[in-house]
């Protein structure tokens, strides 16, 4: 693979097999959706397939969670039980990352999501995800933060404890081994 965000045929076939198995194992996440239609859509969008592969490589376990009839798009979320391992120990954005005087993390949520080609889950999307299972029972995930909060130096994260979704705030420059982020991709 060169600079193009496209998988070679072996990678593409392996990813499609993985996604199909996950789709079939978790039918409750996408009732009334047909894998063959999802696969056709994926095969006609090589850059989106590349993004799904990046989600998979970083531990996100992406899966279809809905279909938007208005835009004719399938929506994938990271559905790993805990926040994706390959996306933890990062602060919220580049401004936060650069503001750290010492122990700077290697990356930040906003830049990583852009590199992968995904959107950070919003609070609403995070709550929708939790209706499909119990996620982040031991970890937490950064979520898209309103500009007003970010301008004041904060950022939001969420987790699932005591059968409840909790949304919290932290300084955007903070990072923890048990906090990553989840993404969404429209195909």
């Amino acid at each position: 693979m060169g600079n193009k965000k496209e998988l070679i045929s072996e990678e593409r076939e392996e990813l499609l097999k993985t996604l199909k198995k996950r789709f079939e194992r978790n039918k409750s996440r996408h009732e009334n959706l047909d894998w063959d239609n999802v696969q056709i859509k994926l095969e006609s969008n090589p850059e989106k397939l590349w993004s799904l592969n990046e989600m998979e490589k970083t531990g996100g376990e992406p899966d279809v969670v809905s279909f938007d009839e208005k835009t004719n798009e399938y929506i994938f979320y990271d559905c790993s039980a805990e926040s994706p391992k390959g996306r933890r120990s990062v602060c919220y954005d580049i401004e936060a990352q650069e503001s750290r005087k010492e122990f700077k993390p290697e990356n930040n949520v906003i830049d990583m999501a852009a590199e992968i080609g995904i959107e950070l889950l919003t609070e609403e999307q995070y709550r929708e995800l939790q209706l499909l299972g119990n996620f982040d029972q031991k970890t937490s995930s950064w979520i898209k933060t309103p500009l007003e909060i970010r301008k004041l130096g904060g950022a939001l994260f969420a987790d699932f404890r005591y059968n409840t979704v909790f949304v919290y705030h932290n300084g955007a420059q903070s990072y923890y081994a048990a906090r990553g982020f989840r993404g969404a991709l429209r195909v």
Side-chain angles (χ1 to χ4, degrees):
M1 190 177 103
N3 289 339
K4 272 182 94 175
K5 292 184 174 185
E6 197 168 325
L7 302 174
I8 60 172
S9 62
E10 294 84 14
E11 292 172 320
R12 187 173 51 252
E13 294 310 312
E14 188 62 34
L15 177 62
L16 287 170
K17 268 196 269 185
T18 298
L19 293 173
K20 181 179 182 180
K21 280 183 195 172
R22 187 172 297 130
F23 184 92
E24 291 171 347
R25 254 193 343 260
N26 299 286
K27 289 206 179 274
S28 63
R29 293 180 187 159
H30 35 252
E31 292 174 3
N32 305 317
L33 295 182
D34 179 61
W35 172 255
D36 292 335
N37 294 331
V38 174
Q39 184 167 339
I40 289 166
K41 193 80 143 154
L42 289 172
E43 288 175 339
S44 66
N45 287 281
E47 197 166 301
K48 302 285 185 157
L49 212 66
W50 181 88
S51 292
L52 284 167
N53 195 56
E54 292 299 301
M55 291 170 82
E56 186 70 29
K57 282 176 21 182
T58 56
E61 300 178 22
D63 198 8
V64 179
V65 296
S66 65
F67 180 73
D68 186 335
E69 290 184 20
K70 291 178 188 167
T71 62
N72 193 36
E73 293 174 310
Y74 291 97
I75 301 167
F76 287 78
Y77 286 172
D78 286 306
C79 292
S80 54
E82 301 301 335
S83 197
K85 284 185 182 178
R87 294 187 237 148
R88 295 184 194 168
S89 296
V90 290
C91 56
Y92 188 75
D93 58 17
I94 190 67
E95 181 184 341
Q97 184 180 357
E98 289 176 349
S99 75
R100 291 194 63 95
K101 301 281 186 256
E102 50 187 356
F103 308 115
K104 290 183 184 210
E106 290 184 27
N107 211 335
N108 67 77
V109 170
I110 300 302
D111 287 350
M112 284 181 80
E115 288 165 16
I116 295 171
I118 59 177
E119 295 290 323
L120 189 59
L121 290 187
T122 64
E123 180 180 346
E124 179 183 354
Q125 290 169 322
Y126 189 87
R127 290 180 184 282
E128 288 171 3
L129 174 68
Q130 293 293 354
L131 296 175
L132 303 175
N134 297 332
F135 303 94
D136 286 338
Q137 294 185 87
K138 297 176 187 167
T139 58
S140 61
S141 295
W142 289 110
I143 58 175
K144 190 170 178 122
T145 299
L147 193 55
E148 308 78 50
I149 294 172
R150 185 60 200 98
K151 281 181 181 176
L152 296 171
L156 300 179
F157 66 96
D159 63 24
F160 186 79
R161 305 289 196 278
Y162 310 106
N163 290 324
T164 303
V165 173
F166 289 94
V167 175
Y168 308 91
H169 60 89
N170 220 172
Q173 77 285 359
S174 64
Y175 65 96
Y176 301 93
R179 182 176 307 148
F181 72 95
R182 295 175 180 276
L185 180 70
R186 298 174 80 85
V187 181

